[in-house]
Amino acid sequence: MTEELNPLRIVAGQIKDACEQLGLSESVYEILKEPQQFYDVSIPVRMDDGSVRTFKGYRSQHNNALGQYKGGLRFHPDVYPDEVKALSTWMTIKCAIVNVPYGGGKGAVAVDPRDLSKGELERLSRGFIRAIGHVIGPERDIPAPDVNTNPQIMAWMTDEFSKMRGYQALGVVTGKPIMFGGSLGRSTATSRGVVVCVEEAAKRIGLDLDGATVAIQGYGNVGSYSGVFIQELGAKVVAVTDVYGGVQDPDGMDAMALVKHVEETGSVVDFPGSQPISNEDLLTMDVDVLIPAALENVITSQNADQVKAKIISEGANGPTTPEADRILAEKGTLVIPDILANAGGVTVSYFEWVQNNYGYYWTADEVDEKLRMLLVQAFANIYDMHEEQGVKMRDAAYLAAIKRIAEAMELRGWV
Ligand code: NAD
């Protein structure tokens, strides 16, 4: 990988720029450029055929000046330490932007879960928690779902941790099933946030979402419900892709029917009535709104000048490289940065943890209303800074977040 694409380099560069612009002491950058702790574990798993396989697992605890470490767990064969460290850093920034009282963490296991049986996946999930159980907890570090992990995996992990500690520790993990301490609205919260941000952005640039066209890369947890929610506003989902390929239809495809198609077949490919499209072509389609909701570094210096969308709402973490970001800014594309656009997930994770602590649960409408309130406020702060100071929304978001984190570190006497 080139240094341009190393996500840890990217996020460290963004923090350095923000620290310089804010005139902060060098010690702030010195602390924020690396995670406070990084755990690298080996997880032995008894496979169905009786053999034992070991998997690499990571947990990165970036910064806890504002509260417990918080962040998802990714199961993906290509994960590597710098990626996990970068993702944990983005969590620190993200929590500060939406003003939830958490720091940043992230974890991953190098595995393709499609290669495992359900029993093997459960033993791996429980094994990972046994390996990192001594450094997580409701008051210390709180994992959640991310790429290829889901509420069932969160349930196994919570159960394993509760057994280790000998009490019901529901608040150790968020994104749990509703039956087992989960929050209503959590599974769709990230998508809800992605679309609330598009709504707010559309108002600001005078784009009517009724009839607007949308392309979505990645049709998993984040991408699929972004499609469903944006369609509810009258927009047309004209193209979607996933790891297997993609589909398009200029008249729009029913986002919920696509969700069912993915549930039944495992992919968006061959959705009835559609034409195929590649991941590369989707990114440069002539659409109003583009939602990257898969992995990092998909909008790069190679394709940014061909992107035609008016608004990009980054459902995925780190989909746009800094060079591509500059090109898009020059073209006048409004990029709603990941650290704001996909912060709905961690916001409702916080609500879930609050409900677990209280033992009292809110309605779906209450959750949605509180989420909307926090995100609309965060969007307005950052958009106004972007306009008033003439900086990209991403830069405005970093400035707002780093200022808050630096204040907390100063109050704690760290800098
Ligand atoms: P998911 O596993 O549910 O879905 C991922 C989707 O991306 C799938 O459709 C998959 O086929 C597709 N994909 C994977 N690799 C791809 C590739 N190489 N090319 C094209 N498509 C590919 O994951 P998710 O939870 O929806 O997460 C997606 C992104 O959103 C990630 O960047 C994640 O970090 C970010 N995110 C997720 C949450 C959350 O609450 N789940 C919150 C914040 C950010």
Side-chain angles (χ1 to χ4, degrees):
M1 180 200 300
T2 64
E3 278 302 288
E4 190 210 358
L5 298 183
N6 181 316
L8 188 59
R9 281 296 153 103
I10 291 175
V11 68
Q14 285 159 330
I15 291 174
K16 195 171 200 332
D17 289 348
C19 288
E20 282 170 7
Q21 281 185 52
L22 289 163
L24 296 171
S25 84
E26 283 195 7
S27 33
V28 173
Y29 173 68
E30 201 52 32
I31 291 180
L32 293 177
K33 71 179 186 193
E34 286 275 338
Q36 289 172 320
Q37 288 88 231
F38 184 75
Y39 301 96
D40 175 330
V41 298
S42 168
I43 312 156
V45 176
R46 174 81 59 194
M47 306 303 281
D48 290 347
D49 66 4
S51 65
V52 171
R53 245 180 91 186
T54 57
F55 295 86
K56 286 302 293 177
Y58 309 104
R59 184 74 187 167
S60 175
Q61 297 178 333
H62 176 255
N63 189 280
N64 63 354
L66 285 168
Q68 291 90 320
Y69 304 106
K70 180 86 189 85
L73 294 174
R74 177 175 291 199
F75 283 5
H76 196 281
D78 303 331
V79 291
Y80 54 97
D82 275 3
E83 179 186 28
V84 183
K85 290 178 185 177
L87 288 164
S88 70
T89 313
W90 277 313
M91 286 306 299
T92 305
I93 308 283
K94 202 179 293 186
C95 292
I97 287 173
V98 280
N99 208 7
V100 297
Y102 287 140
K106 200 82 178 191
V109 177
V111 61
D112 186 340
R114 292 172 302 186
D115 297 342
L116 303 186
S117 70
K118 189 173 178 198
E120 290 166 344
L121 187 61
E122 175 175 352
R123 292 193 289 281
L124 173 65
S125 304
R126 289 183 184 276
F128 184 45
I129 289 303
R130 283 196 300 279
I132 62 164
H134 60 297
V135 295
I136 64 167
E139 304 302 332
R140 187 165 181 180
D141 181 0
I142 310 159
D146 192 68
V147 175
N148 290 332
T149 55
N150 57 31
Q152 173 61 77
I153 293 174
M154 299 304 115
W156 290 326
M157 291 180 166
T158 306
D159 183 66
E160 191 64 31
F161 184 84
S162 297
K163 280 180 178 149
M164 283 171 75
R165 294 293 164 100
Y167 61 88
Q168 290 289 348
L170 289 182
V172 66
V173 166
T174 58
K176 300 180 292 296
I178 304 298
M179 282 286 291
F180 186 25
S183 173
L184 291 169
R186 171 60 185 90
S187 61
T188 52
T190 306
S191 326
R192 180 71 77 193
V194 167
V195 175
V196 166
C197 287
V198 174
E199 269 183 274
E200 295 305 299
K203 280 185 214 157
R204 300 289 188 129
I205 67 164
L207 172 72
D208 187 358
L209 286 178
D210 195 8
T213 50
V214 183
I216 304 173
Q217 183 184 51
Y219 213 67
N221 179 307
V222 178
S224 64
Y225 279 89
S226 297
V228 171
F229 295 142
I230 205 156
Q231 186 176 283
E232 283 172 6
L233 300 172
K236 283 193 299 188
V237 177
V238 295
V240 299
T241 51
D242 63 21
V243 69
Y244 303 105
V247 289
Q248 62 174 327
D249 182 341
D251 297 328
M253 297 171 285
D254 180 51
M256 204 58 218
L258 267 165
V259 171
K260 295 216 169 66
H261 183 75
V262 173
E263 275 167 13
E264 281 159 18
T265 68
S267 168
V268 297
V269 171
D270 290 336
F271 180 68
S274 69
Q275 297 298 312
I277 185 169
S278 68
N279 269 288
E280 296 73 46
D281 289 347
L282 172 132
L283 297 168
T284 55
M285 280 181 78
D286 191 2
V287 287
D288 296 308
V289 180
L290 174 63
I291 302 179
L295 297 175
E296 296 98 74
N297 295 331
V298 292
I299 306 176
T300 66
S301 52
Q302 305 298 309
N303 61 6
D305 62 337
Q306 297 153 50
V307 169
K308 296 173 195 71
K310 300 181 182 73
I311 296 173
I312 299 178
S313 189
E314 295 184 336
N317 286 307
T320 311
T321 66
E323 184 52 26
D325 217 20
R326 272 190 286 280
I327 297 170
L328 292 168
E330 275 165 23
K331 274 161 55 100
T333 311
L334 183 62
V335 180
I336 309 166
D338 46 8
I339 43 180
L340 170 64
N342 69 33
V346 73
T347 304
V348 177
S349 272
Y350 165 56
F351 296 162
E352 179 174 331
W353 178 84
V354 169
Q355 293 169 81
N356 292 150
N357 286 346
Y358 266 84
Y360 176 76
Y361 290 82
W362 307 341
T363 64
D365 284 349
E366 278 175 288
V367 171
D368 273 356
E369 194 187 316
K370 290 181 205 296
L371 170 63
R372 181 175 286 275
M373 203 174 71
L374 281 185
L375 278 180
V376 167
Q377 180 66 58
F379 184 96
N381 288 345
I382 288 164
Y383 191 87
D384 290 346
M385 267 177 87
H386 147 73
E387 282 217 312
E388 284 158 19
Q389 299 185 21
V391 293
K392 296 194 290 283
M393 277 193 81
R394 192 182 315 276
D395 296 343
Y398 271 90
L399 291 173
I402 298 292
K403 188 164 179 281
R404 196 169 268 161
I405 299 160
E407 271 169 21
M409 293 206 296
E410 200 178 335
L411 285 169
R412 285 176 182 264
W414 295 359
V415 290

